Amino acid sequence: GWFRKWSRPLAAAAAAVVAVGLYAVLRTPPADWEVAMPGTDLAPRATSTVSGWNTDAGTRMIVAVEGLDPAPTGYVYEFWLSEGPLHISAGTFTADGEIELWSGVSRADFPRLWVTLEPLDEDESPSGHTVLDTEA
């Protein structure tokens, strides 16, 4: 019947899906570096780990954040790489979890990693409301 007709194509399709999934997981090389970015007094329950890959185009980062409340309406969290007074944004997010971010600079040149709570406005500089920081 229909089972005999479709069992082999369905099994082959299932095997292909598993193979593609395994390839996607296994082809990601281990991170070049990993650093803890603890919560500050503004987010004492929050913790995070940043895993980074150095590329010719800059730095790819996976930020795993736990215990950070969702950003209030009209606000976002912004991830920064800094060296002294120079701050480069690597993007924004609104809730904890695993977030993938990119920056066109090398972490070696901008060693401080931190996250601020930012109002959605025209000011592109850090707000000063730091919630996660490698220097905490």
Side-chain angles (χ1 to χ4, degrees):
W2 73 269
F3 182 77
R4 174 172 276 150
K5 180 179 177 182
W6 291 103
S7 62
R8 283 192 177 151
L10 288 174
V17 167
V18 169
V20 167
L22 281 173
Y23 174 76
V25 169
L26 297 175
R27 74 179 170 89
T28 300
D32 295 318
W33 52 268
E34 188 171 288
V35 63
M37 189 172 55
T40 67
D41 291 343
L42 294 180
R45 295 181 303 109
T47 61
S48 67
T49 302
V50 183
S51 302
W53 291 262
N54 305 320
T55 74
D56 292 341
T59 305
R60 172 181 174 240
M61 294 164 284
I62 301 284
V63 186
V65 181
E66 293 180 14
L68 188 63
D69 293 332
T73 301
Y75 287 81
V76 293
Y77 293 110
E78 190 159 5
F79 186 98
W80 303 91
L81 294 92
S82 295
E83 171 54 49
L86 297 176
H87 311 301
I88 305 295
S89 174
T92 61
F93 59 98
T94 57
D96 65 4
E98 197 169 273
I99 302 110
E100 181 170 355
L101 301 168
W102 279 86
S103 176
V105 299
S106 168
R107 178 174 180 233
D109 297 330
F110 293 83
R112 180 186 179 198
L113 307 177
W114 53 307
V115 173
T116 56
L117 180 63
E118 297 290 331
L120 292 172
D121 60 19
E122 295 178 5
D123 185 353
E124 295 182 10
S125 61
S127 68
H129 302 287
T130 305
V131 295
L132 298 160
D133 197 336
T134 53
E135 294 184 357

